[in-house]
Amino acid sequence: MFTLVPSNFFNPATAKETLAAVTGLKEGESVNHTLIQEYDAVLIYSYREGSVDCIPPIAEMLKQLPLCKEYNKIICSLSEGFLYIAIAQGKSLLLANYFRAPDFTTAEYYLFSSLKKLQLNPELSTITWMGRLETEDEMSLYRYFKAVEQI
C-alpha cells in the first residue's frame, strides 16, 4: 500500500498516520518513505515487519514517467498480481495507483477505466510498459494505443 504526499506537506513523524488514514494498515506492517523529486512528492509505503524494506514498483515508474516523450505519459507494470499505473499530462501527475489484476485482461480493464476517467484517448497515446510483455498482450495493447514501448 502507498500514498503520495506533496513534499511541503510531508512530516516524517506522522508518516504512519498519514498512510493509515488512506489505506488502512494491517497488523505487522511498517511504514517507510522515499522522495519522488520528479513530482516534488513523497511516496509513503508499507511493508511487512521482518521482511526486506521493498519500495513498491510505483516509485521507479514515477521516476521513469517524465522520460516518456509524449504529452500523455502512461506507464504500467504488472507485478505479483497487481497492475501499477502512473499517468501524467506534460508535467502534471494525474494518477499513481495500483489495482489487483490476476491476469492481463483484468489489467487492461483497469487501464482503460483509468484512461476513460481521465478523458485520455489511447489512440493518441503511447503506453510504456515496465517489465516483460507476452507477445499476445503487446498485440492487444497495439489495437488501442498509437504505440507500445517496453522498458
Side-chain angles (χ1 to χ4, degrees):
M1 291 184 266
F2 63 85
T3 191
L4 278 173
V5 176
S7 295
N8 54 342
F9 292 115
F10 176 69
N11 179 351
T14 60
K16 189 167 189 169
E17 291 80 13
T18 301
L19 185 60
V22 295
T23 64
L25 286 175
K26 296 178 183 139
E27 185 75 28
E29 288 185 321
S30 294
V31 172
N32 205 348
H33 61 275
T34 186
L35 179 63
I36 306 294
Q37 290 179 315
E38 293 77 4
Y39 293 102
D40 195 23
V42 176
L43 178 72
I44 305 171
Y45 61 93
S46 65
Y47 63 97
R48 279 260 170 242
E49 286 180 8
S51 67
V52 176
D53 177 3
C54 201
I55 298 174
I58 198 73
E60 183 59 29
M61 293 169 66
L62 290 170
K63 292 176 182 179
Q64 292 293 321
L65 196 58
L67 303 176
C68 297
K69 298 173 189 133
E70 304 289 329
Y71 180 69
N72 291 340
K73 301 169 188 310
I74 305 164
I75 191 165
C76 295
S77 174
L78 196 54
S79 175
E80 298 181 16
F82 289 94
L83 169 71
Y84 292 86
I85 183 170
I87 301 174
Q89 276 189 322
K91 294 183 179 189
S92 298
L93 181 63
L94 303 177
L95 177 72
N97 209 344
Y98 72 106
F99 304 93
R100 183 171 302 280
D103 55 54
F104 192 76
T105 301
T106 305
E108 282 185 312
Y109 168 80
Y110 286 116
L111 170 61
F112 292 117
S113 179
S114 298
L115 293 174
K116 182 177 181 181
K117 184 74 172 172
L118 296 171
Q119 298 180 349
L120 296 178
N121 185 349
E123 294 174 352
L124 303 175
S125 304
T126 297
I127 185 168
T128 302
W129 200 272
M130 288 188 71
R132 188 178 179 290
L133 262 177
E134 298 294 329
T135 304
E136 66 185 48
D137 297 340
E138 183 179 6
M139 290 299 108
S140 179
L141 291 173
Y142 267 115
R143 282 186 268 160
Y144 303 100
F145 289 91
K146 178 176 77 172
V148 178
E149 297 178 353
Q150 292 185 61
I151 55 173

